[in-house]
Amino acid sequence: MTTLTVLPKAELHCHIEGAAAPDLVRRIAERNGVALPDSLFTADGRYVWNDFQSFLAAYDLASSVLRRPEDYRDIMYRYLADCAAEGAIYVEVFSSPDHAAAVGMSYADHLAGLIAAIDAAKAEFGITGRIIVTCVRHLGPDRALEVARTMVSEPHPYVVGFGMGGDERQYDVADFLPAFRMAADAGYGCTVHAGEVAGPDSVREAITRLPVTRIGHGVRAAENPRLLDDLAKRGIVLEVCPGSNLALGLYPNAEAHPLRRLVEAGCRVTLNSDDPPFFGTSIGKEYADAASVFGLEAETLRRITETALDAAFVDDETRQELRQRAAQFAYQPTS
Ligand code: HPA
Ligand code: ZN
């Protein structure tokens, strides 16, 4: 294979509910006795959606089959195994307690499955996994604060960060300050989706109002050179998900996507898969496309992994171990 295969990779932005492949979701639905509408899948077994809103609805529906700790364990284990097989050494997944709560699952139960998978994948594939607990913006600030409160009151060493996804056109980002403040004060790293379906002002607001060191997506900051400059100067890390952006139609084609411009402006960029089966992508594909479609050099891709490890919400000892692994990385196919 190409030299790309031997590049160590790290991913900071993937929603675990959105990482569940359709076949696995169908199997879990069956064993839980949950009926899913046929309209969720195409004839050849892919998820059906056609814009951001219908993507969020399909995502909610697929997530609704997850009812037991082993369901979370199974999707997390498969995701970690797939990432390791593509040369990833570290991943942080977003996990949404609101999705678990919507089907009557406790925070502790949904977490237990994820933790079991992280332990198993570390032992079997050497990959390190961590969890960012996320609130859902369109569910509002009260729910967000409740999610932060639960996270802080039931800590686990694998839960390292707090984030927010959902529809960024709803509410003011400042409405969520109490939730982010609670998480940040308790020592959790913070990231927020901005500059994806809303424009550069949403990124400006996010970095001004919330205690975040990273922005989920942030690509639309490229529409404002001054903002790009500020992001670079402040060292804000962008969790860029090109495959997701193209699949959702934020940009008509790869030439129009600002990945290269963000890198050239000196922004700290990472590459991520967001919701891999929904967008027909994976962390390996994101790195491969960054080289073959966007023309990034292998050296830039190495730097992207270094940036992800620098920005990971892990303790210093784990970060040192990961940097060492990246430096000595020798690709071992796991299957
Ligand atoms: N944006 C916002 N919310 C999300 C996404 C996304 O790309 N994926 C899952 N929830
Ligand atoms: Zn996302």
Side-chain angles (χ1 to χ4, degrees):
M1 286 286 277
T2 65
T3 51
L4 257 193
T5 318
V6 300
L7 265 181
K9 303 170 186 75
E11 155 141 287
L12 302 182
H13 188 126
C14 175
H15 302 259
I16 194 58
E17 303 86 1
D23 67 303
L24 189 50
V25 161
R26 278 182 139 140
R27 208 160 354 114
I28 292 172
E30 232 163 75
R31 77 186 184 204
N32 287 345
V34 180
L36 282 174
D38 287 342
S39 59
L40 180 60
F41 305 103
T42 61
D44 59 351
R46 284 173 292 120
Y47 290 118
V48 172
W49 56 272
N50 52 41
D51 57 14
F52 184 68
Q53 216 56 46
S54 65
F55 155 68
L56 287 180
Y59 174 99
D60 286 349
L61 198 52
S63 310
S64 72
V65 309
L66 307 173
R67 303 281 167 105
R68 297 180 304 166
E70 18 327 0
D71 303 337
Y72 278 90
R73 182 197 62 205
D74 289 354
I75 56 171
M76 183 72 162
Y77 179 82
R78 173 133 147 216
Y79 166 70
L80 289 168
D82 289 350
C83 287
E86 293 186 326
I89 61 170
Y90 180 71
V91 301
E92 264 167 31
V93 297
F94 293 123
S95 153
S96 163
D98 282 316
H99 282 81
V103 289
M105 252 187 110
S106 72
Y107 178 73
D109 276 353
H110 106 283
L111 212 55
L114 298 175
I115 291 163
I118 289 174
D119 284 335
K122 176 75 177 171
E124 284 177 61
F125 313 119
I127 189 169
T128 300
R130 292 290 185 268
I131 299 160
I132 299 177
V133 163
T134 49
C135 58
V136 178
R137 185 161 174 160
H138 51 265
L139 297 184
D142 293 344
R143 270 305 308 161
L145 184 58
E146 197 45 44
V147 169
R149 191 174 285 129
T150 305
M151 177 187 76
V152 168
S153 65
E154 298 180 46
H156 186 280
Y158 293 168
V159 177
V160 293
F162 184 71
M164 179 162 71
D167 189 346
E168 62 171 304
R169 297 164 298 197
Q170 310 289 325
Y171 299 94
D172 284 338
V173 81
D175 297 339
F176 298 89
L177 181 59
F180 278 83
R181 190 75 278 151
M182 179 175 288
D185 286 350
Y188 292 85
C190 292
T191 175
V192 63
H193 284 59
E196 181 194 20
V197 292
D201 289 351
S202 75
V203 178
R204 171 71 72 196
E205 279 288 289
I207 63 169
T208 307
R209 303 300 193 121
L210 298 183
V212 294
T213 54
R214 299 180 356 201
I215 293 288
H217 298 283
V219 282
R220 295 200 51 201
E223 294 163 32
N224 181 335
R226 189 134 166 240
L227 175 59
L228 271 194
D229 208 39
D230 288 348
L231 289 171
K233 282 201 182 106
R234 280 184 56 178
I236 301 283
V237 169
L238 302 180
E239 303 156 2
V240 181
C241 313
S244 160
N245 300 156
L246 291 171
L248 282 169
L250 262 56
Y251 302 97
N253 51 46
E255 291 75 56
H257 191 282
L259 174 62
R260 273 192 79 91
R261 274 188 292 138
L262 295 170
V263 171
E264 284 162 5
C267 292
R268 299 178 74 199
V269 165
T270 63
L271 281 171
N272 306 277
S273 66
D274 208 6
D275 302 280
F278 283 87
F279 303 139
T281 191
S282 68
I283 188 61
K285 184 170 189 301
E286 292 299 330
Y287 273 73
D289 287 353
S292 66
V293 178
F294 292 93
L296 299 191
E297 310 278 333
E299 197 38 50
T300 305
L301 293 175
R302 261 191 192 282
R303 193 149 36 81
I304 280 175
T305 298
E306 280 167 17
T307 300
L309 297 182
D310 290 348
F313 294 146
V314 286
D315 57 78
D316 287 342
E317 196 186 324
T318 309
R319 193 185 323 281
Q320 276 316 328
E321 281 168 21
L322 289 166
R323 284 179 178 146
Q324 247 165 36
R325 264 206 90 200
Q328 300 159 354
F329 186 74
Y331 180 65
Q332 301 279 336
T334 52
S335 56

